[in-house]
Amino acid sequence: MQTINGKEISKNILDKIKNEISELAFVPVFCDVLVGGDPASVQYVGMKKNKAESVGMQFHNANFPISITTEELVKEIKILNQIPNMCGIIVQLPLPEHIDRQKVFDSIDPKLDVDCLGTVASEKFYSGGSAVGYPTALSCMALLDSVDIDLKNHNIVVLGQWMLVGRPFTALLQFRKL
């Protein structure tokens, strides 16, 4: 039985990203949109900020009060889309119930939609035409790729088909004809 060393895989990926960023003529900017002050979400955004900065990216804080409306949030995201050197925007979930999630996701420029939750980015991913994909699903694929197993000779079970992990991971497996 093979073991998977997730920390080593993560370190290798982050080292590669750091090297690629160091060769750029600009400093890329990453943004995580946070609505409200849920402690778990605040902590998770902080972790993403630290990772982004550790590889040489600038992190843009975009924190909004829980009382923000869908229309106001869409307007703010459209402003974020225009920040020079912006290379990726994520909306931290969950959003408050009064926010129309899909309108918010669709307001992210598809080229910046790291989570592929906007309609355009999602459709491009599921058609197999995107270099960008769902981060957690891609992480799962990286873990599978780290072991020397011919996956074509195995049954792979994906529990759950929610939009962030199960459904996109299943699609990645199907893209490889596994």
Side-chain angles (χ1 to χ4, degrees):
M1 184 164 121
Q2 292 186 336
T3 60
I4 297 175
N5 187 336
K7 286 184 181 184
E8 182 180 322
I9 294 166
S10 174
K11 181 185 179 317
N12 290 340
I13 291 170
L14 291 172
D15 286 346
K16 180 181 178 202
I17 292 169
K18 187 174 186 173
N19 286 337
E20 291 173 358
I21 289 172
S22 72
E23 294 175 4
L24 296 173
F26 65 96
V27 176
V29 178
F30 170 71
C31 180
D32 196 330
V33 175
L34 177 64
V35 178
D38 174 68
S41 293
V42 170
Q43 182 179 15
Y44 194 45
V45 169
M47 291 171 20
K48 289 187 266 186
K49 175 185 187 294
N50 291 340
K51 285 294 181 197
E53 290 175 345
S54 77
V55 296
M57 296 182 84
Q58 180 182 353
F59 185 85
H60 182 85
N61 284 312
N63 300 335
F64 301 101
I66 200 164
S67 60
I68 195 167
T69 66
T70 297
E71 293 72 25
E72 291 167 333
L73 187 56
V74 164
K75 182 179 176 184
E76 293 292 342
I77 290 174
K78 288 182 178 183
I79 292 168
L80 294 172
N81 286 331
Q82 303 304 315
I83 292 176
N85 302 324
M86 182 62 73
C87 293
I89 298 174
I90 290 178
V91 174
Q92 183 63 45
L93 299 176
L95 285 170
E97 288 189 27
H98 70 276
I99 299 288
D100 182 330
R101 291 184 337 170
Q102 199 58 53
K103 279 186 182 178
V104 170
F105 298 151
D106 287 343
S107 69
I108 301 171
D109 182 322
K111 296 182 304 271
L112 304 176
D113 188 358
V114 175
D115 276 339
C116 288
L117 295 176
T119 302
V120 172
S122 179
E123 287 174 357
K124 190 171 183 180
F125 171 81
Y126 284 109
S127 71
S130 178
V132 177
Y134 295 78
T136 306
L138 289 170
S139 297
C140 292
M141 191 60 76
L143 292 172
L144 278 179
D145 288 343
S146 75
V147 294
D148 189 25
I149 296 175
D150 181 6
L151 297 175
K152 290 182 181 180
N153 296 322
H154 291 79
N155 291 321
I156 300 171
V157 177
V158 179
L159 298 176
Q161 289 294 302
W162 200 59
M163 66 182 198
L164 287 176
V165 184
R167 183 171 177 237
F169 183 61
T170 299
L172 289 170
L173 294 169
Q174 290 171 340
F175 294 156
R176 291 194 182 181
K177 310 282 190 246
L178 296 177

